[in-house]
Amino acid sequence: MSTTRSPAATPVAQQMSTLDRLLPVWIGLAMVTGLLAGRWVPGIADALDAITVGSISLPIALGLLVMMYPVLAKVRYDELGTVVRDRRTMGLSLVLNWVVGPALMFALAWIFLADLPDYRTGLIIVGLARCIAMVIIWNDLACGDREAAAVLVAINSIFQVLAFGLLGWFYLELLPAWLGLSTTGLDVSPWEIAGSVAVFLGIPLAAGYLSRRIGERRRGRDWYEDTFLPRIGPWALYGLLFTIVVLFALQGDTITSQPLDVARIAVPLLLYFVLMWAGSMLLAHRLGLGYARSTSVAFTAAGNNFELAIAVAIAVFGVTSGQALAGVVGPLIEVPVLVGLIYVSLWSRRFFRTDTAPGVFR
């Protein structure tokens, strides 16, 4: 009898590359580096914040483009049609992202921050900004369906442009008025949101599509996937770490000078990410989506577009506002929590009938 173990039987940690296994260490170091730089390096936050075009931070945009390109270059775009035709995946993702997610964040914000209206409003804005960028990394690390993730973030992008302002009015003005609660206005241009979507998703998506199309046409799929993709794969991690350092350097002084406020904001955020991921994973499992697509649905539903949330909070309420601080605390909690959920997700594969092999940065 052969003693060779199948990938599914091999412990997850042994299947992952060294780069992948140490991901929490790299991310932790990046967060600490950014916080310390923002706190102790004179003028670094002002210098980074000055490099903007409109409401878009060029350093953050650069990091996200480098981060997302390798993953989107791995997508097999000729297989996207199978995802679009999967009504269970599409329907579940839309409901989770645009009905359940904003409603859950609204409820948690009012439960935990009823006496802090600025932070409460900032948290609700975070809930309205559905993820279109970093979720690509979390999905790939957890061995989700790349094609499904690409379709779902594209749909989120369209809905974000069309629905963000409307949902902001509903959750910050109309619904609180119905419930007899205090209201807050949110004046945000759909063109600003469209610009954010175009930069953070449109550019790397176009680059990834063209890379695969040109690479396969000239050298074939085997060369593209076996030679080219492994060369560019690690750059996704480099872009992720650079983005984290820049983001936390921009707000390092604010975060470290208000630890109690950060803790108050962190509690509902922690609950939100865990509840959204776990609930989405269970629902997808019950619908029989299989591990890969369940993972894509879960991480897409749990993640948030912190770039957009922070930009909107700063544009509407000011860079020193409580709303902006709540937006900044979003990735402070989201990054380590969703990294932890990657390992939970990989562990949960034993409960699914279908499986995939891990390793995004190999």
Side-chain angles (χ1 to χ4, degrees):
M1 181 182 294
S2 174
T3 59
T4 303
R5 303 178 68 186
S6 68
T10 306
V12 168
Q14 293 182 21
Q15 297 180 57
M16 299 176 72
S17 69
T18 301
L19 204 60
D20 292 346
R21 288 199 299 270
L22 295 178
L23 180 66
V25 176
W26 310 137
I27 288 178
L29 290 174
M31 293 172 66
V32 171
T33 300
L35 287 172
L36 292 178
R39 179 72 177 180
W40 299 112
V41 177
I44 187 171
D46 292 336
L48 290 172
D49 193 46
I51 311 175
T52 60
V53 174
S55 60
I56 296 173
S57 167
L58 291 185
I60 292 178
L62 174 62
L64 289 172
L65 294 179
V66 173
M67 177 192 78
M68 293 177 65
Y69 165 68
V71 182
L72 290 171
K74 294 179 181 180
V75 173
R76 292 181 173 180
Y77 292 92
D78 56 348
E79 299 178 7
L80 295 183
T82 61
V83 180
V84 176
R85 290 190 294 270
D86 187 344
R87 295 182 180 179
R88 292 176 302 171
T89 299
M90 302 292 287
L92 180 60
S93 180
L94 286 173
V95 170
L96 289 169
N97 273 284
W98 297 101
V99 178
V100 178
L104 177 60
M105 189 69 90
F106 174 85
L108 291 172
W110 274 98
I111 290 171
F112 288 94
L113 299 171
D115 60 326
L116 297 171
D118 290 353
Y119 297 155
R120 185 183 67 235
T121 298
L123 216 59
I124 292 172
I125 293 173
V126 171
L128 299 179
R130 312 312 300 166
C131 194
I132 63 169
M134 204 166 282
V135 68
I136 296 289
I137 289 289
W138 310 142
N139 174 77
D140 226 31
L141 281 168
C143 308
D145 187 321
R146 286 180 184 137
E147 287 69 40
V151 170
L152 295 180
V153 297
I155 291 174
N156 273 351
S157 300
I158 296 171
F159 270 79
Q160 204 149 100
V161 175
L162 299 176
F164 186 92
L166 179 63
L167 288 174
W169 167 75
F170 178 78
Y171 281 105
L172 293 175
E173 296 187 55
L174 185 60
L175 184 57
W178 283 352
L179 298 175
L181 305 171
S182 60
T183 61
T184 304
L186 182 64
D187 182 17
V188 57
S189 167
W191 298 111
E192 292 181 6
I193 300 172
S196 175
V197 168
V199 171
F200 295 129
L201 178 62
I203 293 175
L205 184 62
Y209 172 78
L210 291 173
S211 293
R212 179 170 282 278
R213 185 174 180 84
I214 295 171
E216 288 188 355
R217 178 182 295 176
R218 292 185 175 180
R219 305 290 293 273
R221 174 162 288 188
D222 289 341
W223 173 87
Y224 183 83
E225 296 191 344
D226 297 338
T227 303
F228 178 72
L229 290 182
R231 291 177 181 172
I232 65 172
W235 282 94
L237 175 59
Y238 305 151
L240 171 64
L241 298 179
F242 175 80
T243 302
I244 292 172
V245 170
V246 171
L247 183 66
F248 286 93
L250 280 166
Q251 300 292 337
D253 185 62
T254 302
I255 292 172
T256 55
S257 63
Q258 302 181 53
L260 294 180
D261 289 348
V262 169
R264 288 280 310 265
I265 299 169
V267 173
L269 281 168
L270 176 62
L271 288 173
Y272 172 84
F273 294 129
V274 172
L275 289 173
M276 281 299 295
W277 182 88
S280 302
M281 200 73 166
L282 288 171
L283 283 173
H285 180 266
R286 290 296 298 271
L287 287 174
L289 294 187
Y291 173 77
R293 289 202 176 169
S294 296
T295 298
S296 299
V297 168
F299 279 97
T300 305
N304 289 88
N305 186 353
F306 61 82
E307 310 93 352
L308 176 61
I310 294 171
V312 169
I314 291 175
V316 177
F317 302 102
V319 69
T320 60
S321 66
Q323 292 87 344
L325 176 60
V328 171
V329 176
L332 176 68
I333 307 303
E334 177 178 346
V335 170
V337 170
L338 292 191
V339 168
L341 289 174
I342 289 170
Y343 292 88
V344 177
S345 183
L346 291 170
W347 170 83
S348 75
R349 285 186 302 174
R350 66 192 69 192
F351 302 109
F352 290 83
R353 294 181 180 178
T354 56
D355 198 7
T356 51
V360 60
F361 294 127
R362 288 182 303 167

